[in-house]
Amino acid sequence: MSKVGLIGGSGLDDNLGVTDIKRQKVHTPYGATSDLIITGKLNGKEIVAVARHGANHRLMPLRASYRANVWAFKELGVTHILATTACGSLREKIKPGHLVFIDQFIDRTTKRDQTFYEGMQVCHIPMAEPFCPKLRKLLCETAEKLNIPYHSKGTIVTIEGPRFSTRAESQMFRILGGDVINMSTVPEVVLAREAGICYGVIAMSTDYDAWREKEEAVTINIVLETMAKNAANVNRLLQEVVPHIQDWECMCKTAYKDAIL
C-alpha cells in the first residue's frame, strides 16, 4: 500500500479538499515537526501533510524542521512525498506561474543537517538522480492532461536564505546551470532518500529572481501574489496525481541499504 506525504511550502492552498482531517503530535529524535502533522484523505487516498514553515510561516528556511518532518512521515508509513515550493526563475522560458518538475539540484546551503546518521554509522547516500523519476513522469503526464504550463525537468539551486540573491549571485547561478532557485529543497530531498521515500517537487515560478537587468527587484509580496494567483493549478494537480500514486518498485526505496558504513 502507498501513502502520500505532502509538504507544503509558500503558497500551498489550504483548500486542497482533504477530508477526515486529524491533527497530531509526533515525537521524533530530532525535535518537534514544523507544525502539527495532518492526516486525512484526498480523493480517497490516505495522505499525511505538514506545513514546512509552520503556522503563519513562522519558521525561516534554515529553521524548518526538515529531519523531524521526514522522520515523522516515515513513522506514519509514508511511501511517497510530494513537496511544493515557490521558486525564482533563472531562465527566460520559465515564466512566472509555470510549474517545474525538478530533476537535479545544486546545494548552496551551509548550515543545515543533511543526514539522520550521527552515531557510529555514516550514510554515503547516492544522489546522482536525487528526485524520483516515476513521480516526475506522473506529474508531467497529469499537468499535460490538465493543460497546466509546466517544464518536465530543471535544476534547482537551494540557497540558505532568508534573504534573496544579489544580481551577481543570480547571474552566477545561471552560469552554474541552475534553472530555478529556492530555499528549501535541500536537505529535504536528501533526507527522503536516506529514509527510503520517493520524493518529487512541484516548483512554481513566481518571479525572475535578480538576474534580469532593469527588472523589478523580487520581494516577498511579489512571490505571494503570484502564488495566490496560481495555487489553483497546484491544487488541481495534487488532487489528480495523489490517487494515482502506487507502491511501485523504485531505486529511491533501496538506495540507502548499500550506503551505510
Side-chain angles (χ1 to χ4, degrees), residues 144-213:
E144 186 75 27
K145 173 183 173 183
L146 297 176
N147 199 29
I148 295 173
Y150 75 97
H151 299 266
S152 61
K153 61 181 181 178
T155 296
I156 197 163
V157 180
T158 298
I159 61 174
E160 196 71 83
R163 70 170 177 85
F164 292 120
S165 301
T166 66
R167 180 163 287 118
E169 289 170 331
S170 189
Q171 291 169 344
M172 176 186 70
F173 296 143
R174 280 166 48 83
I175 293 170
L176 289 176
D179 297 305
V180 292
I181 182 168
N182 80 342
M183 302 178 189
S184 60
T185 295
V186 181
E188 215 169 68
V189 60
V190 181
L191 296 168
R193 183 60 56 85
E194 278 197 354
I197 300 173
C198 294
Y199 180 93
V201 167
I202 302 168
M204 178 181 285
S205 170
T206 58
D207 56 83
Y208 278 112
D209 202 49
W211 59 273
R212 271 177 153 195
E213 297 289 342

Side-chain angles (χ1 to χ4, degrees), residues 6-244:
L6 303 177
I7 300 180
S10 303
L12 180 65
D13 199 297
D14 292 331
N15 300 315
L16 188 56
V18 178
T19 60
D20 301 331
I21 291 177
K22 295 180 181 178
R23 291 175 171 83
Q24 65 185 89
K25 297 177 181 179
V26 179
H27 174 76
T28 86
Y30 306 100
T33 53
S34 292
D35 206 343
L36 292 178
I37 297 294
I38 295 171
T39 61
K41 291 184 178 180
L42 180 57
N43 287 344
K45 187 84 168 184
E46 278 194 83
I47 63 99
V48 179
V50 70
R52 183 188 292 115
H53 301 291
N56 300 315
H57 206 99
R58 61 184 174 79
L59 298 174
M60 65 178 178
L62 173 60
R63 304 299 180 199
S65 303
Y66 298 104
R67 291 197 294 180
N69 292 344
V70 176
W71 181 274
F73 276 21
K74 185 69 173 180
E75 287 290 293
L76 293 172
V78 167
T79 57
H80 301 76
I81 291 174
L82 287 176
T84 64
T85 181
C87 64
S89 171
L90 298 172
R91 303 294 167 190
E92 192 72 43
K93 67 180 181 180
I94 302 175
K95 301 181 184 299
H98 285 192
L99 303 185
V100 186
F101 304 129
I102 305 300
D103 69 321
Q104 289 290 320
F105 71 78
I106 296 173
D107 180 16
R108 296 289 298 175
T109 66
T110 60
K111 302 174 183 177
R112 306 182 186 193
D113 294 316
Q114 295 200 22
T115 182
F116 292 116
Y117 293 84
E118 292 187 330
M120 295 296 290
Q121 292 179 310
V122 177
C123 184
H124 294 286
I125 197 71
M127 293 300 291
E129 191 170 9
F131 301 90
C132 178
K134 294 185 178 181
L135 275 180
R136 188 162 56 86
K137 182 174 183 289
L138 182 58
L139 287 168
C140 290
E141 291 172 347
T142 307
E144 186 75 27
K145 173 183 173 183
L146 297 176
N147 199 29
I148 295 173
Y150 75 97
H151 299 266
S152 61
K153 61 181 181 178
T155 296
I156 197 163
V157 180
T158 298
I159 61 174
E160 196 71 83
R163 70 170 177 85
F164 292 120
S165 301
T166 66
R167 180 163 287 118
E169 289 170 331
S170 189
Q171 291 169 344
M172 176 186 70
F173 296 143
R174 280 166 48 83
I175 293 170
L176 289 176
D179 297 305
V180 292
I181 182 168
N182 80 342
M183 302 178 189
S184 60
T185 295
V186 181
E188 215 169 68
V189 60
V190 181
L191 296 168
R193 183 60 56 85
E194 278 197 354
I197 300 173
C198 294
Y199 180 93
V201 167
I202 302 168
M204 178 181 285
S205 170
T206 58
D207 56 83
Y208 278 112
D209 202 49
W211 59 273
R212 271 177 153 195
E213 297 289 342
K214 300 180 181 179
E215 183 78 8
E216 181 182 3
V218 60
T219 66
I220 191 60
N221 287 335
I222 291 173
V223 171
L224 294 178
E225 182 180 351
T226 306
M227 289 300 296
K229 289 179 180 177
N230 294 282
N233 279 340
V234 176
N235 284 359
R236 288 169 59 216
L237 184 68
L238 288 172
Q239 289 165 356
E240 183 72 23
V241 164
V242 167
H244 291 93

